[in-house]
Amino acid sequence: MSENEPWEYSLYIPNDLRAVTVSRRTLRLILTVHGLIRLVDVAELLATELVSNAVRHTKGPAGLRVRWSPPGTLRIGAWDADPQPPGPPRPFEGDADAEDGRGLALVRACADVWGWQPLFRQGSPGKYVWCELSAA
């Protein structure tokens, strides 16, 4: 496949923190086989934050979706079973030693655009949080 052809992958994951690593490695493989290795580092960071939030803050299954849209937009998203919208990104100032709470701030800082939308899967409510990277 060339960069001029669209594609999409979905990975369904259990509510298990180990799924974050599986998602990150799967994303790296997808981008590598599609010749988009230049996006791997930032894409892995973004996917890690999105999937981590989906697994940590909900009780049900989750998923990772990766979509390429020519001429050069990579969309990374995570869906989960919690219909509540994500909280606003917290600023980086404050407790520099905090180990959580800044995931969406990282997404906002590293992605070209991000957002969320309500989602219904198999009759159950949830949400889809996504971000986009430009390959240009």
Side-chain angles (χ1 to χ4, degrees):
M1 285 187 164
S2 75
E3 287 187 23
N4 296 323
E5 296 179 44
W7 47 259
E8 182 173 317
Y9 293 87
S10 293
L11 177 65
Y12 297 91
I13 55 177
N15 190 283
D16 183 332
L17 283 176
R18 293 173 290 192
V20 176
T21 300
V22 171
S23 297
R24 187 173 54 245
R25 290 180 180 169
T26 301
L27 175 64
R28 175 175 283 274
L29 180 61
I30 291 167
L31 295 178
T32 300
V33 300
H34 283 284
L36 296 169
I37 194 74
R38 66 190 180 277
L39 299 177
V40 167
D41 291 337
V42 174
E44 278 186 326
L45 172 67
L46 296 170
T48 297
E49 295 303 330
L50 296 177
V51 172
S52 177
N53 283 346
V55 172
R56 286 176 142 184
H57 302 296
T58 66
K59 297 197 184 310
L64 171 69
R65 184 177 297 154
V66 183
R67 183 178 75 196
W68 175 256
S69 299
T73 301
L74 180 69
R75 178 175 275 207
I76 303 165
W79 62 264
D80 63 50
D82 183 0
Q84 295 300 312
R90 290 171 39 193
F92 287 116
E93 300 90 32
D95 186 2
D97 295 328
E99 293 185 19
D100 62 4
R102 291 185 274 178
L104 285 179
L106 281 171
V107 171
R108 182 178 62 190
C110 296
D112 295 315
V113 63
W114 78 278
W116 78 279
Q117 61 197 57
L119 183 68
F120 283 89
R121 298 189 63 80
Q122 301 169 345
S124 298
K127 69 179 167 297
Y128 178 62
V129 182
W130 54 269
C131 63
E132 291 182 350
L133 286 175
S134 173

